[in-house]
Amino acid sequence: DAGITQSPRYKITETGRQVTLMCHQTWSHSYMFWYRQDLGHGLRLIYYSAAADITDKGEVPDGYVVSRSKTENFPLTLESATRSQTSVYFCASSESTFVRVTEAFFGQGTRLTVV
Amino acid sequence: AQSVTQLDSQVPVFEEAPVELRCNYSSSVSVYLFWYVQYPNQGLQLLLKYLSGSTLVKSINGFEAEFNKSQTSFHLRKPSVHISDTAEYFCAVGGDDKIIFGKGTRLHILP
């Protein structure tokens, strides 16, 4: 199906474990983003990518790692999960005009609980 | 650097009354501006966007927003709200290579 899909939708993990959240888009959008949503903080940008093999830190990158070997995939890894990383994670993709990024299209989110 | 300020975390309003959700932004470059809506337990959907041209943009379900460059604002308005508008609304600014969101405003529709 066309669009942007995240997996898993729900995940419970233990403190200290590594966990990877997957994101796949079928539009061939050049830009991809990872956000986390927490009550009172809105959506905060974790990492973003302008193209395959190009990634950059957002507002809250500590404790996360990303890679983008293919345009359509943008996995997010929590190297050693902490309780403060309990959140809802959203992946998004976007195209750009000549000068700036246009609207983002969002996946359905992954609800991660770290116990 | 870009930033977005949504001045109200919650806005209660009676059904069929008008509403305004406020958004101010800052950026060192010219930007695109967006409003997204998140219904309970769902993802985010684009409500409307300003890219260029007319400063007043409208959605298909009666919302509108006006880009005001001098006041660096992009407030969202609806002349008459319905119970189905209950949701969280996010203002966002798109710059060179990323999109930054505000903290969101929860719209509560009172019967």
Side-chain angles (χ1 to χ4, degrees):
Chain A
D1 290 347
I4 183 165
T5 55
Q6 295 183 234
S7 61
R9 291 291 311 279
Y10 303 91
K11 176 75 176 178
I12 300 174
T13 192
E14 294 179 338
T15 301
R17 289 194 178 269
Q18 182 181 84
V19 61
T20 296
L21 310 183
M22 304 301 292
C23 179
H24 175 80
Q25 54 113 349
T26 60
W27 291 304
S28 298
H29 284 165
S30 53
Y31 283 86
M32 295 190 75
F33 311 90
W34 275 107
Y35 296 90
R36 58 178 291 175
Q37 183 178 21
D38 304 287
L39 196 63
H41 293 279
L43 277 84
R44 292 180 291 176
L45 182 64
I46 305 171
Y47 269 95
Y48 61 102
S49 169
D53 298 321
I54 301 175
T55 62
D56 209 345
K57 296 178 180 179
E59 303 164 276
V60 289
D62 293 344
Y64 304 95
V65 174
V66 294
S67 62
R68 195 165 176 208
S69 57
K70 294 183 178 181
T71 299
E72 61 267 29
N73 296 322
F74 191 39
L76 176 73
T77 297
L78 287 66
E79 295 183 295
S80 178
T82 65
R83 290 199 178 96
S84 64
Q85 292 177 310
T86 293
S87 185
V88 180
Y89 291 85
F90 286 100
C91 179
S93 69
S94 175
E95 259 309 338
S96 67
T97 64
F98 182 68
V99 292
R100 61 190 74 97
V101 180
T102 61
E103 71 262 32
F105 295 86
F106 282 82
Q108 284 298 100
T110 295
R111 185 175 294 275
L112 176 68
T113 303
V114 183
V115 299
Chain B
Q2 307 143 227
S3 68
V4 177
T5 301
Q6 291 186 245
L7 297 167
D8 304 297
S9 59
Q10 296 188 66
V11 172
V13 61
F14 286 103
E15 196 169 13
E16 298 184 7
V19 69
E20 178 180 83
L21 306 183
R22 296 178 292 171
C23 173
N24 288 90
Y25 71 92
S26 67
S27 176
S28 57
V29 298
S30 58
V31 296
Y32 292 159
L33 293 161
F34 311 97
W35 276 99
Y36 284 81
V37 59
Q38 185 180 35
Y39 297 105
N41 299 314
Q42 294 189 25
L44 280 85
Q45 307 171 31
L46 180 70
L47 185 61
L48 46 75
K49 62 185 177 185
Y50 170 78
L51 304 183
S52 65
S54 173
T55 57
L56 182 66
V57 291
K58 299 183 179 183
S59 74
I60 59 173
N61 58 350
F63 284 93
E64 63 180 36
E66 185 158 21
F67 169 55
N68 187 318
K69 188 175 182 179
S70 63
Q71 297 187 6
T72 60
S73 68
F74 192 55
H75 301 329
L76 182 69
R77 301 182 182 93
K78 190 172 185 180
S80 176
V81 297
H82 301 285
I83 194 73
S84 59
D85 294 324
T86 298
E88 188 157 20
Y89 293 80
F90 292 93
C91 183
V93 57
D96 292 349
D97 57 2
K98 55 186 173 286
I99 302 173
I100 300 298
F101 284 78
K103 294 186 178 181
T105 299
R106 287 187 182 273
L107 181 60
H108 295 282
I109 310 299
L110 307 171

